[in-house]
Amino acid sequence: MTARAKSAPQTTENHCSKHHALASHPAAKLPPLTVMESQRMGEFFALLADPTRLRLVSLLAADEFCVCDLASSLSMTESAISHQLRALRAARLVSYRKEGRQVFYRLHDHHVLELYQTVREHLEE
Amino acid sequence: MTARAKSAPQTTENHCSKHHALASHPAAKLPPLTVMESQRMGEFFALLADPTRLRLVSLLAADEFCVCDLASSLSMTESAISHQLRALRAARLVSYRKEGRQVFYRLHDHHVLELYQTVREHLEE
DNA sequence: CGAAAGCATGAACGTATATTCAGATATTCG
DNA sequence: CGAATATCTGAATATACGTTCATGCTTTCG
């Protein structure tokens, strides 16, 4: 049983490399992402990687809504919506306004709207 | 033990709603996302939600690279890189070119590059 | 041909995450 | 004040996902 073929666990050694002069792309300006930068950027994209959150954004792209309206629009529980809005809030993608016992959410700034619209158009082909 | 308080399992009923005339945002053009659209869009963002894939994109934004170079640049196994490249390939975010026993990857089109650069600039503040 | 390099792939394991459930907080109204 | 409404929150469960491990495939070279 203990026969474990140890196939040189694919360590990271630069065997090949240096094959062609760095032609560099037309738009090659920024240096590669560091680990930390990539993690931060990944967290940003992860926020928009959820269908529920995206539908919330698409609703808020048109108007301001309270939690219960958002919940009924998406046919989901208010609890689930509230959890997702919290994530969007923490990342400053949405902001909110309290009016009585209701809380109205809206997109925080135009950056989010623009990014959403850009990607949406890109996926419509 | 079986005392389960049935706290009206938060069904989806439109109790409130209709509070204000639909003022509609300045840039309110597109209808809300359907479930299927949001899933598809979510899959797109999910691809860019991983630090490793983002670092790959950031490298490929500057030039074309083979798998082993990408692996050594990120200090990761070629297997892990290959798996991630497959995901990027399946979504047509990267394309590749075989040369001998090496495979050179590059960004598939300028859309990806532009989106990456836009978001990166947006996160640098 | 046979060995090694470069890359791809399937299974498995560990972790992250979205929803549900139960309950808490805050506000309005009788 | 007490009940109802609107929202938030923590814990738990189920599922998705990334890496590792082992192996297969293709090409190059002796």
Side-chain angles (χ1 to χ4, degrees):
Chain A
M1 282 69 179
T2 49
R4 301 190 59 190
K6 47 106 185 72
S7 67
Q10 291 202 46
T11 54
T12 305
E13 301 166 6
N14 39 349
H15 14 274
C16 63
S17 66
K18 305 316 115 190
H19 302 287
H20 52 332
L22 282 183
S24 88
H25 272 169
K29 302 172 185 177
L30 304 169
L33 289 173
T34 66
V35 176
M36 276 191 53
E37 287 171 337
S38 68
Q39 287 173 344
R40 181 159 161 60
M41 197 166 174
E43 288 170 11
F44 175 79
F45 279 114
L47 273 171
L48 298 175
D50 180 73
T52 299
R53 285 193 292 266
L54 280 175
R55 294 176 76 202
L56 287 174
V57 169
S58 77
L59 286 169
L60 297 177
D63 200 0
E64 176 182 67
F65 289 104
C66 64
V67 178
C68 63
D69 281 348
L70 292 171
S72 72
S73 290
L74 303 190
S75 298
M76 295 179 62
T77 66
E78 296 170 6
S79 176
I81 299 300
S82 183
H83 275 294
Q84 301 296 25
L85 287 172
R86 173 149 82 150
L88 294 174
R89 233 189 309 141
R92 311 232 176 232
L93 290 184
V94 302
S95 48
Y96 61 98
R97 169 178 71 85
K98 290 190 180 180
E99 185 173 318
R101 44 189 161 181
Q102 308 193 66
V103 181
F104 289 91
Y105 283 85
R106 61 177 182 280
L107 295 188
H108 186 63
D109 56 26
H110 57 97
H111 284 108
V112 194
L113 183 61
E114 289 169 5
L115 179 62
Y116 163 73
Q117 288 178 333
T118 300
V119 175
R120 180 159 185 185
E121 289 168 9
H122 175 246
L123 290 182
E124 288 175 351
E125 53 197 17
Chain B
M1 285 65 190
T2 47
R4 299 190 61 190
K6 46 105 186 74
S7 65
Q10 292 201 43
T11 54
T12 304
E13 302 166 6
N14 37 349
H15 15 274
C16 63
S17 65
K18 305 314 117 188
H19 302 287
H20 51 332
L22 282 183
S24 86
H25 272 171
K29 302 172 184 176
L30 304 168
L33 289 174
T34 65
V35 176
M36 277 192 51
E37 286 171 338
S38 69
Q39 286 173 345
R40 181 159 161 59
M41 197 165 174
E43 289 170 12
F44 175 78
F45 278 115
L47 274 171
L48 298 175
D50 179 72
T52 299
R53 286 194 291 267
L54 281 175
R55 294 176 75 202
L56 287 174
V57 169
S58 76
L59 285 170
L60 297 176
D63 200 1
E64 176 181 67
F65 288 104
C66 64
V67 178
C68 64
D69 281 347
L70 292 170
S72 73
S73 290
L74 302 189
S75 298
M76 295 179 62
T77 67
E78 296 171 5
S79 176
I81 298 301
S82 183
H83 275 293
Q84 302 296 27
L85 286 173
R86 172 149 84 149
L88 294 174
R89 233 189 308 142
R92 312 233 177 232
L93 290 184
V94 302
S95 47
Y96 61 97
R97 167 178 73 84
K98 289 190 180 181
E99 185 173 318
R101 46 188 160 181
Q102 309 194 68
V103 181
F104 289 91
Y105 283 85
R106 61 176 181 279
L107 296 187
H108 185 63
D109 56 25
H110 57 97
H111 284 108
V112 194
L113 183 62
E114 288 169 6
L115 178 63
Y116 163 73
Q117 288 178 333
T118 300
V119 175
R120 179 158 185 185
E121 288 166 9
H122 175 246
L123 290 181
E124 287 176 352
E125 52 198 17

